[in-house]
């Protein structure tokens, strides 16, 4: 499994103004021995988040394991707080249990910056319990209200200081410099210059600027919103407009703090500067959780069509509320651009070229209120859910076969909060559709390590509707998804196997070759993990013709990979090596994510055969591929592999430390070591323990387990580099040629299987029956073999195969 990257602090695009003393004081609290939680408390828009980031940057060097940022703005349920923390830490989602998270944090030197806690304040006690036994961990929290937990240090974040008002005729010499140094005035001037580069603070406009800052009570967000209008309004005009809005919008709750009213006034006033369509769009944007894309806005907040791709599992277009009154989607880009200019919508960094946007939480909340007042909340939420359901289904083709492309997974990553929000809405308003959407996301839940979330999404609506409302195909896919996810966990493994065995019959009855084939592969993998390699091969042999029938190349690569694993387990290393190589050195378009697994397996086979330099190179390749593609898979196991490889070359103390790191990070990543590789790792451990003695071996294991993921993987990489580079500097046999080039005549592994049966004298019909493929497919394989070998008939191909030892009958029967 790769080393998941933790969530870094956001990088602000503007400078923080007027918070120098706050930063010093907060840093002192964080460095204090007592108390694990420091809560920045203050009204919305006061700048708590920005201040927390700056304070965290100032003390980052004091924390050995760095700083991790957790944004709770999209989280509305206290039960989702620990999953958000676990996700930001890069841990597998099964670590959401408070005890497991507490154990992970217990020996860390780490700063958690947890933003926007006010809507989930009930999660404070459980978070505090996770920190109680972690003396090296501090949580810097922003919230509109304190958490009220033991050990909490509250830090009140006040608005920026504002200077006294300047009445008519009160302007004095030196006042421009003195007042211009006030933090609130400096903030206004800085943000005004962002939208109008020629803006300058002068004696003429100073009274108006001061008045604006005072009207807005020094609240940074309100000042920034006002200053953003400097591109069209002078400070004097701005003051006049704002004053008018204060008179109109000052009828908030009498017991609400003045600052809250000031912020609402600023936002309401900013609304008043929008034309009706801009304001309408802003209200509709409140339906999004987290960031959002332009196409999503065009379809959800406007009237661009939302269509589900033709799917084997979804047989009808979902009904949507009437689209009368929706904005024209062709106008959305200009309207959205205007909202960005008004500083009401923010552009956010994206991993691709498509822009993404988000709302401040305070603006989102106000927009949601206005949307409800318009009577549109349900209609827009229904469109939102339908759009993201379509995104979830977009990987599944009309033949029922998924296409697991990086771009699909990346799109789901960007909209993970929106997907969760859509599932929440559908679970309440349309449980059958929620069930099918959750099942459609199985591969996302699996590959991205969100397996518990997937199980919960399916089980949340189970029993709340009549299953007959779903098509038989959709019911089968839901059981398929549920069984696959359950089988990954020891506690639910047998239940998962039982569900997979049950749904296998349904898939066969439906004639779903891919579903039946992949279910057989899931059962084969579970047998393989138990060391029952022959049973695994039997399931694979049954699955292969079904998957060949639908020509799912990525899944067929997975078939080859697991065949190679079982052959490796049976000691048939030559066959396993050749088969693993065909996957490891295939193109990503053909083999997909299986390349990472096959590279690792190829390295293990090289290790078993004594090809140590090749093994080190393959392990490096596996780590690099996994990192590039964001695969949450077996990178932590590479620590075991590297330790086992190093054991053959000496330095038992290094080996023990690597094994210690492997133990810890395999546990934390939820990656149990299974057969067949476990045999090799255990043997290397036993030899190392015997060399060092049990006491020293245990001491070094503990040292290794203290290493962070970053340190452990750095040590692993250094070890692998040293093996490769040292051998290159000293006389030794050269590395073997690239595996992919060793296949003679360009024959595939399947074609080599067919050639062996041709050499045994079988007809096309007999070959098809033996390999569980159609007779026509067997005939096509034979024709391709004759063409690649450039021979006229079977006899000639057999002669060459025997002479050049392309086939091996030693293991026949």
């Amino acid at each position: 499994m790769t080393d998941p990257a933790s969530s870094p602090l956001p990088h602000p695009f503007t400078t923080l103004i007027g918070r120098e003393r706050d930063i010093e004081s907060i840093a002192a609290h964080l460095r204090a021995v007592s108390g694990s939680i420091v809560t920045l408390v203050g009204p919305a828009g006061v700048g708590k988040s920005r201040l927390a980031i700056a304070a965290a940057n100032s003390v980052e060097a004091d924390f050995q394991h760095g700083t991790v940022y957790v944004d709770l703005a999209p989280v509305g349920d206290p039960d989702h707080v620990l999953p958000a923390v676990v996700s930001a830490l890069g841990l597998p989602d099964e670590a959401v249990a408070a005890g497991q998270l507490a154990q992970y944090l217990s020996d860390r030197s780490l700063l958690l910056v947890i933003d926007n806690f006010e809507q989930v304040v009930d999660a404070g006690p459980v978070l505090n319990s996770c920190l109680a036994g972690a003396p090296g961990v501090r949580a810097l929290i922003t919230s509109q209200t304190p958490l009220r937990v033991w050990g909490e240090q509250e830090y009140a974040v006040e608005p920026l200081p504002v200077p006294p008002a300047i009445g008519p005729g009160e302007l004095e010499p030196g006042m421009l410099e003195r007042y211009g140094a006030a933090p609130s005035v400096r903030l206004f001037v800085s943000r005004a210059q962002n939208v109008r580069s020629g803006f300058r603070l002068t004696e003429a406009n100073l009274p108006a600027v001061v008045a604006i800052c005072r009207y807005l009570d020094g609240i940074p967000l309100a000042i920034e919103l006002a200053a953003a209008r400097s591109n069209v309004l002078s400070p004097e005009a701005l003051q006049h407009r704002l004053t008018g809005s204060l008179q109109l919008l000052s009828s908030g709750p009498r017991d609400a703090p003045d600052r809250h009213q000031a912020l609402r006034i600023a936002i309401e006033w900013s609304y008043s500067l929008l034309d009706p369509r801009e304001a309408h769009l802003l209200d509709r944007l409140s339906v999004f959780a987290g960031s959002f894309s332009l196409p999503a806005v065009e379809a959800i907040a406007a009237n661009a069509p939302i269509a589900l791709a033709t799917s084997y599992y979804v047989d009808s277009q979902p009904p949507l509320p009437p689209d009368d009154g929706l904005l024209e989607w062709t106008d959305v880009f200009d309207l959205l651009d205007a909202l960005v200019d008004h500083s009401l919508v923010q552009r956010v960094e994206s991993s691709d070229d498509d822009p993404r946007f988000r709302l401040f939480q305070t603006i989102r909340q106000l927009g949601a209120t206005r949307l409800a007042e318009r009577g549109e909340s349900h209609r827009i939420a229904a469109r939102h859910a339908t759009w993201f359901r379509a995104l979830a289904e977009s990987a599944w083709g009309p033949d029922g076969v998924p296409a697991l492309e990086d771009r699909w997974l990346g799109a789901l990553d960007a909209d993970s909060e929106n997907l969760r929000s859509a599932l929440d809405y559908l679970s309440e308003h349309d449980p059958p559709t929620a069930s099918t959407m959750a099942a459609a996301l199985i591969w996302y839940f699996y590959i991205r390590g969100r397996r518990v979330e997937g199980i919960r999404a399916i089980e949340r609506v189970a029993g709340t509707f009549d299953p007959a409302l779903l098509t038989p195909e959709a019911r089968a896919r839901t059981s398929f998804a549920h069984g696959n996810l359950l089988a990954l966990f020891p506690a639910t493994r047998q239940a998962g196997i039982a569900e997979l065995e049950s749904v296998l019959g349904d898939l066969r009855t439906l004639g779903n070759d891919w579903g039946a084939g992949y279910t057989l592969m899931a059962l084969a993998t579970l047998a393989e993990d138990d060391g029952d390699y022959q049973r695994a091969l039997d399931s694979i042999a049954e699955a292969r013709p079904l998957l060949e029938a639908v020509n799912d190349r990525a899944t067929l690569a997975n078939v080859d990979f697991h065949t190679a694993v079982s052959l490796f387990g049976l000691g048939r290393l030559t066959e396993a090596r050749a088969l693993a190589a065909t996957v490891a050195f295939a193109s990503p378009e053909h083999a997909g994510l299986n390349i990472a697994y096959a590279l690792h397996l190829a390295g293990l086979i090289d290790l078993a055969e004594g090809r140590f330099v090749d093994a080190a190179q393959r392990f490096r390749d596996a780590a690099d591929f996994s990192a590039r593609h964001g695969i949450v898979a077996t990178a932590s196991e590479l620590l075991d592999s590297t330790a086992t490889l190093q054991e053959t070359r000496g330095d038992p103390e290094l080996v023990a430390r690597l094994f210690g790191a492997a133990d810890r990070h395999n546990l934390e990543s939820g990656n149990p070591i299974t057969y067949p590789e476990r045999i090799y790792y255990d043997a290397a451990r036993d030899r190392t323990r015997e060399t060092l003695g049990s006491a020293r071996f245990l001491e070094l294991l503990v040292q290794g387990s203290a290493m962070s993921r970053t340190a452990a993987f750095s040590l692993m990489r250094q070890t692998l580099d040293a093996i490769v580079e040292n051998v290159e500097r000293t006389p030794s046999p050269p590395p073997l040629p690239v595996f992919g080039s060793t296949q003679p005549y360009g024959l595939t592994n399947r074609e080599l299987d067919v050639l062996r049966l041709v050499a045994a004298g079988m007809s096309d019909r007999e070959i098809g029956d033996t390999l569980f493929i159609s007779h026509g497919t067997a005939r096509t394989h034979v024709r391709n073999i004759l063409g690649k070998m450039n021979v006229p008939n079977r006899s000639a191909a057999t002669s060459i195969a025997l002479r050049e030892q392309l086939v091996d009958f030693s293991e026949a029967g």
Side-chain angles (χ1 to χ4, degrees):
M1 186 174 292
T2 58
D3 180 20
S6 60
S7 179
L9 290 172
H11 178 69
F13 292 101
T14 56
T15 57
L16 183 63
I17 293 175
R19 295 297 192 186
E20 294 80 6
R21 291 184 179 178
D22 289 311
I23 292 172
E24 293 176 2
S25 181
I26 295 167
H29 281 297
L30 292 172
R31 293 186 178 110
V33 175
S34 62
S36 57
I37 292 179
V38 177
T39 306
L40 307 189
V41 180
V46 79
K48 301 183 296 294
S49 301
R50 189 72 174 78
L51 178 57
I53 293 168
N57 280 322
S58 74
V59 299
E60 188 169 17
D62 295 317
F63 294 88
Q64 179 185 352
H65 298 112
T67 304
V68 174
Y69 179 76
V70 186
D71 184 11
L72 298 182
V75 178
D77 186 340
D79 290 340
H80 291 167
V81 171
L82 287 193
V85 174
V86 164
S87 176
L89 287 167
L91 299 176
D93 62 354
E94 56 264 35
V96 296
Q100 292 173 283
L101 181 57
Q103 182 179 2
Y104 170 81
L105 295 174
S106 62
D107 60 348
R108 294 296 193 277
S109 171
L110 179 71
L111 175 61
L112 292 172
V113 179
I114 307 179
D115 206 3
N116 301 297
F117 212 104
E118 55 270 359
Q119 71 270 24
V120 289
V121 71
D122 288 344
V126 68
L127 174 67
N128 198 37
S129 69
C130 293
L131 301 175
V137 178
R138 296 288 183 272
L140 179 58
I141 293 174
T142 72
S143 179
Q144 293 182 29
T145 59
L147 274 60
R148 305 297 187 197
V149 295
W150 287 108
E152 179 188 27
Q153 300 178 69
E154 296 178 25
Y155 187 91
V157 181
E158 300 291 342
L160 294 175
V162 295
I166 304 175
E170 293 182 357
L171 193 62
E172 300 175 354
M175 192 175 284
L176 177 63
E177 181 178 354
R178 189 169 69 254
Y179 275 43
S184 56
V185 174
R186 287 167 51 204
L187 177 63
F188 182 95
V189 172
S190 174
R191 300 306 184 255
Q193 289 174 341
N194 286 344
V195 297
R196 196 173 111 200
S197 59
F199 181 88
R200 295 290 182 271
L201 186 66
T202 65
E203 289 186 350
N205 63 28
L206 176 63
V209 171
V210 171
I212 291 169
C213 293
R214 289 181 59 80
Y215 280 134
L216 299 178
D217 213 14
I219 296 176
L221 176 57
I223 292 172
E224 291 188 352
L225 290 172
R229 305 313 305 147
S230 297
N231 60 338
V232 292
L233 297 174
S234 68
E236 292 81 359
L238 201 58
Q239 178 192 2
H240 175 74
R241 294 285 298 271
L242 185 57
T243 302
S245 295
L246 278 168
Q247 294 170 348
L248 291 172
L249 301 173
S250 60
S251 57
R254 292 184 180 275
D255 60 345
D258 291 341
R259 296 186 187 102
H260 284 204
Q261 294 193 30
L263 176 61
R264 184 176 180 88
I265 288 166
I267 298 174
E268 288 280 12
W269 168 77
S270 191
Y271 259 102
S272 73
L273 298 179
L274 304 176
D275 72 32
R277 293 186 308 156
E278 292 170 351
H280 204 170
L281 177 60
L282 185 59
D283 293 342
R284 289 175 172 180
L285 294 180
S286 66
V287 75
F288 290 102
S291 66
F292 47 86
S293 66
L294 176 61
V297 177
E298 292 171 337
I300 295 168
N303 61 1
I306 304 175
L308 293 179
T310 302
S311 172
Y312 177 86
Y313 303 99
V314 181
D315 63 356
S316 64
Q317 181 67 22
L320 285 173
D323 64 359
D324 55 299
L326 290 178
L327 299 166
E328 291 295 327
W329 73 269
T330 52
D331 296 334
V332 162
F333 179 82
D334 290 336
L335 294 173
L336 191 59
D337 192 53
L339 293 175
V340 172
D341 287 343
H342 281 286
S343 297
L344 291 167
V345 174
Q346 288 72 49
R347 286 191 178 94
V348 296
E349 293 184 359
S350 176
S351 58
D352 53 35
D353 295 331
D354 295 327
R356 293 188 68 84
F357 307 87
R358 70 180 294 271
L359 299 180
F360 283 125
Q361 185 70 359
T362 50
I363 296 173
R364 179 177 179 267
Q365 292 171 353
L366 180 59
T369 300
R370 292 170 60 99
L371 192 67
E373 293 169 352
R374 294 178 186 270
E376 291 191 332
S377 297
H378 175 71
R379 174 168 65 172
I380 302 304
R383 294 184 70 86
H384 177 276
T386 302
W387 169 267
F388 287 104
R389 178 192 175 198
L391 176 62
E393 291 283 358
S394 64
W396 297 83
D399 55 358
V401 178
L404 302 181
E405 300 176 351
D406 279 354
R407 61 183 178 182
W408 180 72
L409 293 170
L412 298 183
D413 284 335
D415 277 307
S416 62
E417 295 298 338
N418 284 305
L419 290 166
R420 181 180 286 127
S421 177
L423 279 170
D424 288 344
Y425 175 85
L426 291 172
S427 295
E428 180 180 354
H429 296 279
D430 187 356
T433 299
S435 174
T436 60
M437 179 178 173
L441 290 168
I442 174 182
W443 303 121
Y444 179 66
F445 290 135
Y446 177 82
I447 294 169
R448 292 301 192 245
R450 296 170 62 168
R451 295 162 287 176
V452 169
E453 182 179 348
I455 292 171
R456 289 175 176 168
I458 294 172
E459 293 182 347
R460 177 168 51 177
V461 294
T464 65
F465 64 93
D466 183 355
L469 294 173
L470 301 179
T471 66
E473 292 80 6
R475 288 200 302 271
R477 183 178 65 173
T478 300
S479 291
F480 165 85
H482 191 232
N484 266 285
L485 293 172
L486 285 178
L488 297 171
F489 298 92
T492 56
R493 180 183 177 89
Q494 292 307 314
I497 292 173
E499 189 160 9
L500 288 172
E501 290 174 342
S502 175
V503 77
L504 178 59
D506 297 336
L507 291 165
R508 283 172 164 159
T509 299
L510 291 169
N512 186 333
D513 286 346
W514 180 88
Y518 203 97
T519 301
L520 286 165
M521 284 303 303
L523 293 169
T525 302
L526 293 167
E528 166 197 304
D529 289 345
D530 290 336
D532 193 345
Y533 308 119
Q534 190 55 57
R535 181 159 61 93
L537 288 173
D538 291 343
S539 290
I540 291 171
E542 192 176 354
R544 186 185 289 274
L546 297 171
L547 296 169
E548 284 179 336
V550 295
N551 194 32
D552 177 12
R553 294 180 296 185
T555 303
L556 287 171
N558 189 257
V559 171
D560 286 340
F561 165 70
H562 282 290
T563 302
V565 171
S566 290
L567 291 172
F568 178 45
L570 290 170
R572 295 161 62 176
L573 302 188
T574 300
E575 295 172 81
R577 185 171 182 269
L579 195 55
T582 63
V583 180
F585 298 98
S587 68
E589 292 76 17
H590 288 157
L593 306 180
N594 297 289
I595 290 174
Y597 315 138
L599 283 167
H600 184 207
L601 176 60
L604 289 170
I605 296 169
D606 283 334
L607 175 60
E609 293 183 330
R611 305 175 189 273
F612 303 133
V613 179
D614 288 342
Q617 185 59 59
R618 295 301 154 252
F619 294 154
R620 293 199 307 187
D621 292 344
D624 291 345
F625 185 93
S626 297
R628 286 196 305 273
H629 294 272
I631 303 171
V632 181
T634 59
S636 55
E637 187 180 331
L638 285 168
L639 291 164
D640 282 294
S641 303
T642 302
T644 303
L645 174 59
Q646 180 62 41
E647 191 273 334
T648 68
R649 308 179 67 80
D651 198 347
E653 295 200 346
L654 171 59
V655 173
R657 287 196 297 272
L658 285 167
F659 273 131
D663 290 343
R664 169 179 169 176
H665 296 298
N666 277 313
L667 177 64
E668 291 179 354
S669 63
N671 181 52
I673 302 303
T674 58
Y675 293 100
E677 58 268 33
R678 175 178 172 180
I679 298 171
Y680 294 88
Y681 302 158
D682 287 350
R685 284 173 182 263
D686 290 343
R687 290 191 294 267
T688 304
R689 183 185 296 106
E690 184 177 351
T691 300
L692 293 171
S694 296
R696 180 58 175 162
F697 179 71
L698 179 59
E699 180 184 351
L700 292 166
L701 281 180
V702 173
Q703 289 182 17
S705 68
M707 286 192 288
S708 67
R709 271 197 170 89
T710 300
F713 275 83
S714 176
L715 179 61
M716 178 188 75
R717 188 58 184 244
Q718 292 171 16
T719 303
L720 295 173
D721 288 345
I723 293 173
V724 173
E725 294 166 5
N726 182 61
V727 173
E728 289 174 351
R729 290 196 303 268
T730 58
S732 62
L736 293 179
V738 175
F739 293 144
S741 67
T742 63
Q743 294 286 32
Y745 299 99
L747 299 176
T748 67
N749 283 288
R750 173 54 88 187
E751 288 167 345
L752 285 173
D753 291 339
V754 173
L755 178 58
R756 182 183 180 204
L757 299 180
V758 168
M762 289 189 181
S763 65
D764 292 342
R765 179 177 295 276
E766 291 170 329
I767 292 171
D769 292 342
T770 301
L771 297 178
F772 300 99
I773 59 178
S774 70
H775 303 154
T777 299
R779 185 163 50 253
T780 299
H781 281 315
V782 172
R783 184 167 60 249
N784 291 340
I785 290 167
L786 298 180
K788 289 180 178 181
M789 297 179 71
N790 194 27
V791 293
N793 52 46
R794 292 166 174 259
S795 297
T798 299
S799 297
I800 293 175
L802 294 174
R803 183 179 69 247
E804 299 187 16
Q805 298 182 335
L806 302 184
V807 297
D808 179 12
F809 296 104
S810 63
E811 299 183 29

